[in-house]
Amino acid sequence: MGNTAQQIEHAIAGSGRRLTGPRRTLAEALLTLGDHFAAEELLQAAPGVGRATVFRTLRMLQESGLVCQVVMDDGRTVYRLGSEEHHHHVICSECGAVADIASMRLEKALGAIAVETGYEVDAHRLELYGRCPGCRVAAISST
Amino acid sequence: MGNTAQQIEHAIAGSGRRLTGPRRTLAEALLTLGDHFAAEELLQAAPGVGRATVFRTLRMLQESGLVCQVVMDDGRTVYRLGSEEHHHHVICSECGAVADIASMRLEKALGAIAVETGYEVDAHRLELYGRCPGCRVAAISST
DNA sequence: TCACCAGTTGAGACATTGGCTCAACTTCCG
DNA sequence: CGGAAGTTGAGCCAATGTCTCAACTGGTGA
């Protein structure tokens, strides 16, 4: 995703929110951080920004759909800069690579479940864990 | 799920594991704990059993399929005594009720995704959040 | 029955992830 | 430019879980 700091800053400064120094710093730090990152990494990549601000901003970005949260296999959570569209993740248990999933079929199955259970479902969390193609090849060739 | 303490104890004492006092205490405490519970609640329901043992045993029971872990809407995790069969959960954001889902359609969609991504998927985590029928009714009548 | 040893335990410190408070500060609007 | 309102960060708190390690114990072989 070719997000730029300006795009992120622009998204931040919506609905009565201010574009402050720390937020700018975070916007830039986000871009230096690779595909996914822990909150702690963002904290370190943004010198001078306090811990509370990092978490606050992360939450804000999640609400804006600019960042999504991924729960890893072992329970750790990482964040990911990404598109606003609804999607899920496949995570490699070996190298940690995260790939997006967008499956109409899956969404429909989820919809059907909502109906069957009688629940009014308004959110869900879905993560798949496995081994990415690269790590599969590596595992085979190292045998 | 009419689990009895004996059933749980039996399941614990498999593959070279010992049936110890603390484990018996935990097996009985589990039965007093309602549909789902936090680790902390189990700890309190099992007097004399140390924190480390509670978490160790919970992990053991998860590996045996006797207990499953549910990540709540807000990130808290609760545990649930349940069947070994693979299933997912719908969680009511209001009253916390947890219901099981077992959908062939969903499993198939997940399988298709695994193929599409090229990942060798071996596990996943899926939770749906919403409002249960009871809370929906309550919300309407309190209007 | 007994002794032994591998598996198990618990106290307590530590780690991780995140939230809260509140006085000081900064943005941005008028 | 001035001030209200949004924002910040230091530091402390909380929840959830892990680790260490000496002491203990279940179950087995004799």
Side-chain angles (χ1 to χ4, degrees), chain B residues 126-137:
Chain B
L126 170 59
E127 263 97 38
L128 305 182
Y129 306 104
R131 195 141 52 149
C132 73
C135 286
R136 289 175 72 178
V137 171

Side-chain angles (χ1 to χ4, degrees), chain B residues 11 13 22 24 27 34 38 40 54 58 63 68 70 77 79 88 94 100 108 115-116 121-122 125 142:
Chain B
R24 275 179 220 264
E40 204 58 31
V54 168
L58 273 176
E63 277 157 17
C68 56
V70 182
T77 69
Y79 299 85
H88 305 291
E94 259 161 65
D100 290 339
K108 282 185 185 160
V115 172
E116 284 163 23
V121 173
D122 51 39
R125 189 193 292 274
S142 74

Side-chain angles (χ1 to χ4, degrees), chain B residues 45-108:
Chain B
V49 178
R51 169 182 299 276
T53 300
V54 168
F55 282 102
R56 274 189 294 238
T57 306
L58 273 176
R59 196 175 351 144
M60 194 180 84
L61 291 172
Q62 280 177 71
E63 277 157 17
S64 312
L66 265 173
V67 156
C68 56
Q69 200 184 44
V70 182
V71 179
M72 305 293 275
D73 213 356
D74 57 8
R76 281 178 345 209
T77 69
V78 298
Y79 299 85
R80 197 153 194 265
L81 204 51
S83 66
E84 204 155 346
E85 293 111 46
H86 181 71
H87 63 277
H88 305 291
H89 301 104
V90 207
I91 302 140
C92 178
S93 337
E94 259 161 65
C95 69
V98 180
D100 290 339
I101 306 169
S103 157
M104 208 48 223
R105 189 172 169 186
L106 178 61
E107 296 307 322
K108 282 185 185 160

Side-chain angles (χ1 to χ4, degrees), chain A residues 16-18 20 22-23 48-53 56:
Chain A
R17 282 176 303 198
R18 292 182 184 167
T20 64
R23 286 178 179 169
V49 177
R51 170 182 301 275
T53 300
R56 273 189 296 239

Side-chain angles (χ1 to χ4, degrees), chain A residues 13-28:
Chain A
S15 51
R17 282 176 303 198
R18 292 182 184 167
L19 188 52
T20 64
R23 286 178 179 169
R24 275 178 220 264
T25 306
L26 286 171
E28 274 162 31

